[in-house]
Amino acid sequence: ERPLVALIDDVHWAEPALLELLREIAGRARAPILVLCTARPELLEADPQWPVAARLEPLGSADAQALVEALADVPEAVRTRVVAASGGNPLFLGELLALLRERPDEETLPPTLSALLAARLDLLPEPERATAERAAIEGEVFHRGGVLELTPEHARPHVAASLAGLAGKELIRPAPASFAGEAAFRFKHVLVRDAAYAGTAKKLRAELHERFAGWLERAVGDRAAEYEEIIGYHLERSYRFWCELGPVDAQATALAQRAAERLASAGRRALARGDGRVAAGLLTRATSLLPEEEPVRIELLTVLAEALFDVGELERMRAVLAEAAAGADRSGDIRSQGHVALVALLARIFTDAATPLGEVDAEARRLIALFDGLGDDLGLARAWRLASWMPFMEARADACERALERAAEHARRAGAEREELQSLDGLAEHAFYGRTPIAEGIRRCDRILERVSASRMAEAAVLRDRATLEAALGQIQAARTSIGSAHATLEELGLKRELGWTLLFWGYFVELTAGDAHQAEVRAREGYRIVGEVDEARGRAAAYLAEVLYQRAAFDEARSLTRISEENAAPVDRVTQIVWRGTRAKLLARRGELADAEALAREALASAGESDWLNLQAGAHLELADVLRQAGRSAEADALTDEARVLYERKGNLAGAAKARALLGTVTAG
């Protein structure tokens, strides 16, 4: 509605997701927004491509003189000393003036800003200095209740006066509180906080971090889940200090366990909502706090591996899984061994086309029996999801959906949010593939969207699924809106694998249906590039792009991609085998190799007939019809095209049915 200036301080400390969001705002906003970020030079060293950067040089002598005059009425000799000592740093200059106001006879000025701030804190009365040190435990922003908790009981009556004294010396200032009934303050600058923190002995820091974690747990009450990362951080800091001070005893070990529990819980929630980067960081810290043979650590390593898979760090994922497998084998715990095997297999089938899916299916059945005997619903949720993979690859939607429904049910019983969301996403995806009518599929997606709203990753995946259904109904603008929203979310979350497949779906299922082959190529090319970076099983991606390029008349490149698809697709991957055969058959027909083209297209049609994916069957009919039409066998081609129309109409795929009628020359109103 009006121009906006957004100021974000200290972005050199920002998580990658925040930096990406700031870039998106600056690059895509269609409103008058100025995003002003302050940062240390390290930001540009780490990210030289930061959009626009202006370095703030030190103040010149004249400007520094003017600033001194504006801040304080001091003799010219003092002004000259301060200007010379500050080196043109405005904060340093202001703090030097404050020091000289407190100690006007000071002859030797501190040589650095950190030394200056430490000197100012050393000059404070003991109650004020102790209050500043305890406030620094919480951070740059702190609460009076936290300071009181960390202050010895006999000194608590002086805390209010100490806070007022620190505010009078401009070392702290009031700030908005995070909790009702609390007063909050902010250090004048984070360096003031750092100086106060550095002045506290390690042993005292270890004690205070643990005590602060306890206070925060009580202060947040039933909102503890929102603060688990912070609580875990303070417990972690306490443990690390105790480790530096001497041998780890039982008390320190208990601290580590508590810290790991909090960080792991925060990490699991981050993973469930689709924030793989944050989840990986939290889970890495949690696992580093636990002994190697700890069963919980082995389980957390499998969760960490899932987070690394989401963000495309495949090599690290494999290393983490190998570590988990070694720990599970040493422990002899069959439950841990089963969970590690499950996650390893789930990761493998998504990245290695050579994985023998018959063995995967047999292993899934073995694990289902194992976890059923153990009464392990989480294991059963994962095992049934694994069992859905074989029918998915064979394009048997009914069997796949039954497995996914069982996986979702066990996930609900286990309270495993991520596993439930994954199964629900699979059910949303199969609304397009299987026998479910398109209109009912959209309603299914809408029901699932209500259940997955807490996870941005799952919501994006279901929106992508909904887009394919909307396109099939001819609702192209709605489909573009849905898949565009999914794309933006996945891009922001940094989930490259999902992002790549979303772009491929955008091109292959949405833009080709819309008849915009140019946009289909733009989307599918970018998707194929991203999938190639994070997914070693790229046979299906190559098949989708090959068809898009065929529609763009890029025949040579389309032919090359069908070869890539053929070489990378598992024999049991029915969809990929059908898609690349259909595209290559049309390419062969164009070159006059009609017998080979017909044979290949008939192979694809026969394979499609063994599936229950109606859209896949209809598409295979049209591919063979195209080949026969090029061979001049119009009557046979029309018969196949009409069969495709019937299949599309049975599915409720209005766009597909309209395409078939157009090929027959019998388009009717509606």
Side-chain angles (χ1 to χ4, degrees), residues 455-571:
S455 168
R456 298 182 66 206
M457 176 183 174
E459 185 176 53
V462 178
L463 281 172
R464 177 184 64 204
D465 302 330
R466 193 183 201 280
T468 63
L469 295 159
E470 290 168 330
L473 280 184
Q475 300 172 358
I476 300 301
Q477 192 51 51
R480 285 170 173 158
T481 299
S482 294
I483 206 160
S485 177
H487 173 267
T489 297
L490 295 168
E491 192 172 42
E492 181 186 331
L493 292 173
L495 301 175
K496 294 183 69 174
R497 185 180 183 282
E498 291 294 325
L499 178 64
W501 282 104
T502 296
L503 285 162
L504 279 162
F505 276 40
W506 195 337
Y508 184 78
F509 289 111
V510 176
E511 297 302 341
L512 279 189
T513 302
D516 191 337
H518 169 69
Q519 276 302 312
E521 179 184 355
V522 170
R523 302 297 183 185
R525 274 194 187 278
E526 178 63 8
Y528 181 71
R529 182 190 66 78
I530 294 172
V531 167
E533 292 177 358
V534 298
D535 192 337
E536 297 161 11
R538 57 192 180 125
R540 188 171 299 190
Y544 285 166
L545 180 57
E547 177 60 24
V548 169
L549 293 179
Y550 176 83
Q551 298 298 331
R552 286 284 285 163
F555 301 127
D556 289 342
E557 191 176 358
R559 186 175 297 107
S560 296
L561 282 161
T562 64
R563 284 195 291 270
I564 292 172
S565 181
E566 180 182 11
E567 292 164 2
N568 285 272

Side-chain angles (χ1 to χ4, degrees), residues 292-306 317-349 363 366-367 370-371 374 376 378-380 382-383 386 419:
E292 285 189 5
E293 306 305 324
E294 176 74 38
V296 172
R297 182 176 184 273
I298 296 170
E299 181 183 344
L300 289 179
L301 285 171
T302 64
V303 183
L304 172 57
E306 294 184 74
M317 175 201 74
R318 292 187 181 103
V320 167
L321 283 173
E323 184 182 356
D329 288 343
R330 286 193 300 269
S331 72
D333 181 358
I334 59 172
R335 180 183 180 278
S336 295
Q337 292 170 347
H339 276 279
V340 174
L342 263 174
V343 175
L345 275 171
L346 284 167
R348 186 179 171 195
I349 60 178
E363 181 68 357
R366 182 187 74 82
L367 290 168
L370 170 68
F371 291 124
L374 294 172
D376 183 346
L378 174 60
L380 285 166
R382 289 173 167 171
L386 185 64
E419 282 72 15

Side-chain angles (χ1 to χ4, degrees), residues 55-72 79 82-99 101 112-113 116-117 120 170 173 188-189 191-192:
R55 288 183 180 270
L56 296 182
E57 301 298 335
L59 295 176
S61 179
D63 289 332
Q65 292 271 2
L67 181 57
V68 172
E69 292 173 3
L71 291 174
R79 186 164 62 244
V82 168
V83 169
S86 71
N89 183 316
L91 177 61
F92 198 0
L93 186 150
E95 293 300 320
L96 284 169
L97 285 174
L99 177 67
R101 281 198 301 268
T112 66
L113 182 54
L116 168 60
L117 294 171
R120 283 203 65 197
E170 298 184 351
R173 60 190 63 160
K188 176 183 178 181
H189 192 279
L191 292 177
V192 178

Side-chain angles (χ1 to χ4, degrees), residues 25 63 69 110 152 199 341 572 583 661:
I25 293 172
D63 289 332
E69 292 173 3
V572 75
T583 302
R661 286 196 298 272

